[in-house]
């Protein structure tokens, strides 16, 4: 489901009344990108894909009425990842925000913003492969 397809600029966290940085892996957009309250409640805290012209990143979504309609509150690492070749990071970006599909959800732990989650995902994947290999070797 597409949530937004528009030109966004990066807003500071003070825009949502936060005195500290936003948690890693979260974004905040204005609540009126979705028409109904039920849709917002269903999507709050869910993973979304944020796609720029160059790259796609994954974050958990929140909504706020204090963020401008063309603003997005995002961690600095995510803003840089969306425009890796840009010299001027202050400009706005054309972003497409949509819910993740099943094949994207499998990829999220391996590209997560937090290093501990990425390491855990790779160790879990390695453990799964070794478990499958041991089952195959046990029946040979």
């Amino acid at each position: 489901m597409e949530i937004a397809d528009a030109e966004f600029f990066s807003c500071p966290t003070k825009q949502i009344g936060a005195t500290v940085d936003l948690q890693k892996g979260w974004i905040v957009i204005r609540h009126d990108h979705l028409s109904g309250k039920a849709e917002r409640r269903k999507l709050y805290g869910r993973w979304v894909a944020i796609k720029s012209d160059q790259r796609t990143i994954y974050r958990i979504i929140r909504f706020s009425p204090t963020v401008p309609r063309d603003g997005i509150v995002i961690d600095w690492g995510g803003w840089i990842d969306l425009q890796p070749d840009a010299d001027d990071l202050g400009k706005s970006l054309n972003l497409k925000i949509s819910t993740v599909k099943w094949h994207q959800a499998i990829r999220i732990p391996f590209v997560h913003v937090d290093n501990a989650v990425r390491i855990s995902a790779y160790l879990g994947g390695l453990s799964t492969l070794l478990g499958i290999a041991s089952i195959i070797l046990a029946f040979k």
Side-chain angles (χ1 to χ4, degrees):
M1 175 175 109
E2 186 173 305
I3 298 169
D5 187 2
E7 190 84 15
F8 286 95
F9 69 91
S10 180
C11 292
T13 54
K14 68 179 182 182
Q15 194 73 38
I16 56 171
T19 56
V20 294
D21 284 339
L22 188 66
Q23 289 179 340
K24 285 184 179 181
W26 285 79
I27 63 161
V28 182
I29 61 172
R30 186 161 177 90
H31 68 287
D32 59 1
H33 283 286
L34 294 169
S35 58
K37 193 183 292 187
E39 287 180 352
R40 287 192 302 270
R41 288 183 177 163
K42 187 173 111 179
L43 283 177
Y44 181 86
R46 303 279 177 146
W47 285 99
V48 294
I50 305 146
K51 184 176 181 172
S52 69
D53 295 334
Q54 299 176 351
R55 200 172 272 169
T56 301
I57 64 170
Y58 304 97
R59 296 293 188 267
I60 300 170
I61 194 164
R62 286 174 45 183
F63 301 99
S64 174
T66 59
V67 176
R69 179 146 174 85
D70 58 347
I72 184 171
V73 180
I74 188 169
D75 58 286
W76 188 244
W79 191 246
I80 291 171
D81 284 346
L82 287 169
Q83 48 187 339
D85 299 332
D87 290 331
D88 180 22
L89 296 175
K91 66 177 186 168
S92 59
L93 287 174
N94 187 21
L95 300 177
K96 182 177 182 179
I97 303 171
S98 60
T99 56
V100 295
K101 297 171 178 60
W102 68 270
H103 58 87
Q104 293 172 319
I106 295 170
R107 187 170 180 250
I108 289 172
F110 297 98
V111 295
H112 195 275
V113 67
D114 190 0
N115 291 335
V117 174
R118 279 198 309 265
I119 291 170
S120 298
Y122 282 112
L123 289 174
L126 179 64
S127 298
T128 302
L129 289 175
L130 290 174
I132 292 170
S134 68
I135 291 172
I136 291 172
L137 290 174
F139 287 115
K140 278 195 167 188

